[in-house]
Short mmCIF file of all heavy atoms in Angstrom, two decimals:
data_model
loop_
_atom_site.label_atom_id
_atom_site.label_comp_id
_atom_site.label_asym_id
_atom_site.label_seq_id
_atom_site.Cartn_x
_atom_site.Cartn_y
_atom_site.Cartn_z
N GLN A 54 30.37 -57.62 -36.53
CA GLN A 54 31.69 -57.30 -36.97
C GLN A 54 31.98 -57.72 -38.45
O GLN A 54 32.96 -58.31 -38.78
CB GLN A 54 32.73 -57.99 -36.06
CG GLN A 54 32.58 -57.52 -34.65
CD GLN A 54 33.49 -58.25 -33.68
OE1 GLN A 54 34.13 -59.21 -34.00
NE2 GLN A 54 33.55 -57.71 -32.46
N LEU A 166 28.17 -66.65 -35.66
CA LEU A 166 28.77 -66.39 -34.34
C LEU A 166 28.60 -67.52 -33.36
O LEU A 166 29.47 -67.96 -32.69
CB LEU A 166 28.15 -65.13 -33.75
CG LEU A 166 28.54 -64.77 -32.29
CD1 LEU A 166 30.02 -64.43 -32.21
CD2 LEU A 166 27.65 -63.62 -31.76
N LYS A 168 28.31 -70.66 -33.89
CA LYS A 168 29.12 -71.80 -34.24
C LYS A 168 30.62 -71.52 -34.11
O LYS A 168 31.44 -72.39 -34.34
CB LYS A 168 28.76 -72.31 -35.61
CG LYS A 168 27.35 -72.86 -35.72
CD LYS A 168 27.02 -73.17 -37.18
CE LYS A 168 25.64 -73.78 -37.30
NZ LYS A 168 25.25 -73.95 -38.71
N SER A 169 30.98 -70.32 -33.74
CA SER A 169 32.40 -69.93 -33.74
C SER A 169 33.00 -70.10 -32.34
O SER A 169 32.24 -70.23 -31.36
CB SER A 169 32.60 -68.49 -34.22
OG SER A 169 32.23 -67.61 -33.17
N ALA A 170 34.32 -70.01 -32.25
CA ALA A 170 35.04 -70.09 -31.00
C ALA A 170 34.83 -68.84 -30.16
O ALA A 170 35.11 -68.91 -28.92
CB ALA A 170 36.52 -70.36 -31.25
N ILE A 171 34.43 -67.75 -30.74
CA ILE A 171 34.31 -66.47 -30.00
C ILE A 171 32.88 -66.21 -29.53
O ILE A 171 32.57 -65.14 -29.11
CB ILE A 171 34.83 -65.28 -30.78
CG1 ILE A 171 33.98 -65.09 -32.07
CG2 ILE A 171 36.28 -65.39 -31.12
CD1 ILE A 171 34.17 -63.75 -32.72
N ALA A 172 32.05 -67.24 -29.53
CA ALA A 172 30.61 -67.07 -29.26
C ALA A 172 30.33 -66.75 -27.77
O ALA A 172 29.29 -66.29 -27.42
CB ALA A 172 29.82 -68.33 -29.64
N ILE A 173 31.28 -67.02 -26.89
CA ILE A 173 31.03 -66.80 -25.44
C ILE A 173 31.32 -65.31 -25.15
O ILE A 173 32.37 -64.81 -25.44
CB ILE A 173 31.93 -67.70 -24.61
CG1 ILE A 173 31.71 -69.15 -25.00
CG2 ILE A 173 31.64 -67.48 -23.12
CD1 ILE A 173 30.33 -69.70 -24.87
N GLY A 174 30.38 -64.71 -24.45
CA GLY A 174 30.56 -63.31 -24.08
C GLY A 174 30.63 -63.21 -22.51
O GLY A 174 30.72 -64.24 -21.87
#
Side-chain angles (χ1 to χ4, degrees):
Q54 301 175 351
L166 173 67
K168 292 175 179 174
S169 77
I171 63 166
I173 306 300

